[in-house]
C-alpha cells in the first residue's frame, strides 16, 4: 500500500468526449507506486496498482529532462468542445508542470 506521505511525481488523465474516447487515469508516485483507474473505452476497467523500480523512475525523470519539461510553462490550458481532454502533469525539482 502507498505511503500516505508519498508525493505525486506525475499523472496522465484522459477524459470524455462525445464519442468513444478512452477515460482513464494513471498516477505515478515518487516511491514508484503506480495506480491506474480505467473507466470507459479502455481494455482494463477498474482500479489497479503496482510498483515500478528505481531504474524505471530514473528513466522517466531522465526522459522528462531530455524533453525540457523544466523549461516549459507551468500550465497549458485549452478547450475545444468535442475533443477528449488529456491532462498530463509532472513535478520536477519542486515545480509542477501541467
Amino acid at each position: 500500500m502507498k505511503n500516505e506521505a508519498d508525493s505525486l511525481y506525475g499523472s496522465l488523465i484522459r477524459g470524455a468526449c462525445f464519442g468513444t474516447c478512452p477515460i482513464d487515469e494513471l498516477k505515478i508516485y515518487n516511491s514508484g507506486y503506480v495506480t491506474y483507474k480505467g473507466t470507459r473505452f479502455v481494455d482494463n476497467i477498474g482500479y489497479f496498482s503496482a510498483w515500478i523500480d528505481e531504474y524505471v523512475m530514473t528513466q522517466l525523470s531522465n526522459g522528462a529532462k531530455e524533453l525540457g519539461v523544466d523549461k516549459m510553462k507551468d500550465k497549458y490550458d485549452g478547450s475545444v468542445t468535442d475533443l477528449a481532454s488529456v491532462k498530463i502533469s509532472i513535478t520536477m525539482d519542486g515545480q509542477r508542470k501541467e
Side-chain angles (χ1 to χ4, degrees):
M1 185 55 107
K2 181 180 93 59
N3 178 340
E4 290 303 318
D6 196 4
S7 59
L8 185 64
Y9 172 75
S11 64
L12 170 67
I13 301 169
R14 298 188 296 177
C17 67
F18 291 124
T20 58
C21 300
I23 303 171
D24 57 4
E25 181 177 302
L26 174 74
K27 292 183 178 180
I28 303 170
Y29 295 86
N30 284 306
S31 66
Y33 184 69
V34 179
T35 62
Y36 174 80
K37 182 173 82 172
T39 305
R40 292 183 70 192
F41 308 116
V42 293
D43 291 338
N44 297 299
I45 303 291
Y47 185 83
F48 305 89
S49 63
W51 290 89
I52 54 178
D53 63 29
E54 188 175 336
Y55 174 78
V56 174
M57 289 298 296
T58 300
Q59 294 298 99
L60 286 170
S61 182
N62 289 344
K65 287 176 185 173
E66 286 178 26
L67 287 171
V69 169
D70 58 331
K71 293 171 181 57
M72 293 179 179
K73 294 180 187 178
D74 288 342
K75 187 170 186 171
Y76 292 85
D77 193 14
S79 61
V80 177
T81 305
D82 187 31
L83 291 181
S85 63
V86 177
K87 181 177 177 183
I88 301 169
S89 71
I90 188 169
T91 302
M92 293 179 57
D93 302 323
Q95 290 186 312
R96 181 182 170 111
K97 304 293 183 172
E98 188 174 287

